[in-house]
Amino acid sequence: MEYRKLGNLQVSAIGMGTLRTFDVTSDDDIARSQEIIENCLANDVNFIDTAAWYGESEKVVGIATAGIRDQLHLATKVRCEGKAEGEAQIARSFQLLNTDYIELFQVHNMIDWQTHLPTLQNLKDEGKIGMLGVTAMVHEAYPTIAELMRSGRVDTVQIPYNVMERGCEEELLPLAEEHGIGILVMEPLQKGRYVKDLKRQPDLTPLREFGIETWAQALLAWVLGDSRVSVTIPATSRPERVMENAAAGSVGQLPQEMRDYIRHETERCL
Ligand SMILES: NC(=O)c1ccc[n+]([C@@H]2O[C@H](COP(=O)([O-])OP(=O)(O)OC[C@H]3O[C@@H](n4cnc5c(N)ncnc54)[C@H](OP(=O)(O)O)[C@@H]3O)[C@@H](O)[C@H]2O)c1
């Protein structure tokens, strides 16, 4: 596993997302989430991303990381409007995650960021969180994020980046490099569609010499082929896929022609 700099942390280039997959309540599903986290550790994945907005996810992450919390870095997100509501939601995240320190706290989709960033800055000054960041899914938010990056108010930015969604390449990735800001990549598999919804079978032949054995690994290696990316966080509900996805973190820097090949092959097969 390659480890990359995310602000003040060294994180595994492949992390774990928890949107939908950790929003579970039955004993069986919680046990499966625990197995996913165990498999993360067994495969050198040390970074988990969750959010107050993801239903039961923070609670399940809290349960699944009990006893092994010190081996993992946690990121979560605040998503609501108003200072008092924000402070209450943030306090609840600490409770549900069962921890008194959170490595990264993000403002989810920039919602009421003007209110939440000062709250998170105070928590950072008090040593209760390690870093603060913002997340966004839409390009309309990018100019404001660029301003925040230039002003030094955020340690990290989480955005979508994959073979077909490359909106961050123009301004945000160069700014991240210039200012030493961590980049977290959401939706590396486009919610799984670029693996599960293909009409044709991609040809992996030229990728095998790089240790790529599955199409999911090819898509993840494409994302990590940009060295400005700190970590990407594919989610899965299937414990066995943790090992498959983690292996993409050992591919190393793919040559540009291989990144182009993966992009063209995705277009051909979609
Ligand atoms: N606004 C925001 O801040 C925001 C928005 C979106 C996402 N995120 C974060 O980014 C994370 C990743 O995004 P995402 O979960 O939407 O999308 P994603 O990681 O691109 O895709 C997840 C889907 O891919 C499938 N998958 C994973 N590994 C696979 C494999 N090896 N082979 C085939 N299918 C595979 C999973 O299905 P199975 O369960 O069947 O494996 C799951 O349905 C989220 O979990 C969340 O933490 C943040």
Side-chain angles (χ1 to χ4, degrees):
M1 174 64 71
E2 182 187 349
Y3 289 83
R4 296 188 179 185
K5 189 172 149 18
L6 176 74
N8 58 18
L9 298 174
Q10 285 290 116
V11 300
S12 51
I14 298 287
M16 177 57 64
T18 64
L19 171 60
R20 291 181 291 273
T21 51
F22 275 55
D23 181 15
V24 296
T25 49
S26 76
D27 288 349
D28 281 357
D29 285 342
I30 291 174
R32 207 184 49 219
S33 301
Q34 283 174 310
E35 198 183 337
I36 288 172
I37 298 291
E38 279 162 20
N39 286 359
C40 283
L41 284 185
N43 290 281
D44 301 324
V45 171
N46 72 358
F47 185 82
I48 317 286
D49 178 76
T50 183
W53 193 252
Y54 297 170
E56 298 295 308
S57 171
E58 283 185 324
K59 183 178 169 191
V60 173
V61 170
I63 294 168
T65 56
I68 49 173
R69 168 71 185 90
D70 58 342
Q71 297 173 60
L72 292 160
H73 302 306
L74 299 185
T76 192
K77 316 183 188 83
V78 57
R79 176 171 178 163
C80 59
E81 294 202 12
K83 185 169 156 56
E85 289 82 352
E87 285 172 352
Q89 194 179 76
I90 289 166
R92 191 163 157 76
S93 292
F94 279 91
Q95 233 175 40
L96 292 172
L97 289 169
N98 196 18
T99 188
D100 53 13
Y101 178 80
I102 293 174
E103 283 81 350
L104 170 62
F105 225 116
Q106 305 155 98
V107 179
H108 203 159
N109 288 352
M110 298 285 283
I111 290 170
D112 203 6
W113 62 270
Q114 295 94 331
T115 303
H116 300 314
L117 279 188
T119 305
L120 293 177
Q121 184 61 49
N122 285 342
L123 287 172
K124 188 178 166 187
D125 294 343
E126 291 167 15
K128 293 188 174 142
I129 67 172
M131 294 184 282
L132 57 89
V134 290
T135 81
M137 301 192 71
V138 294
H139 295 179
E140 290 70 33
Y142 288 6
T144 311
I145 292 184
E147 276 314 300
L148 288 173
M149 292 170 88
R150 286 195 190 89
S151 70
R153 291 184 69 191
V154 290
D155 302 302
T156 70
V157 168
Q158 182 176 158
I159 27 86
Y161 186 41
N162 60 51
V163 271
M164 311 293 269
E165 159 54 285
R166 300 172 55 192
C168 62
E169 283 180 345
E170 196 179 320
E171 193 176 18
L172 299 192
L173 292 183
L175 275 175
E177 186 172 38
E178 188 183 339
H179 296 277
I181 291 168
I183 292 286
L184 295 88
V185 169
M186 63 170 81
E187 300 189 347
L189 308 175
Q190 191 63 38
K191 299 188 172 72
R193 282 186 210 129
Y194 293 169
V195 198
K196 295 179 179 183
D197 295 349
L198 297 179
K199 294 195 188 82
R200 297 180 195 84
Q201 204 54 27
D203 179 5
L204 287 160
T205 310
L207 300 169
R208 290 195 199 279
E209 69 174 278
F210 299 94
I212 293 173
E213 297 292 337
T214 71
W215 194 245
Q217 289 171 350
L219 295 170
L220 295 170
W222 184 93
V223 172
L224 296 178
D226 192 309
S227 60
R228 297 167 296 188
V229 170
S230 311
V231 55
T232 185
I233 46 175
T236 184
S237 57
R238 294 173 54 165
E240 69 276 12
R241 284 189 169 148
V242 178
M243 186 194 283
E244 177 190 342
N245 292 348
S250 303
V251 166
Q253 205 79 33
L254 271 186
Q256 190 53 43
E257 65 264 29
M258 284 299 117
R259 288 187 94 211
D260 293 344
Y261 173 80
I262 293 167
R263 189 163 48 82
H264 292 137
E265 198 59 2
T266 310
E267 280 166 357
R268 185 181 73 81
C269 296
L270 267 175

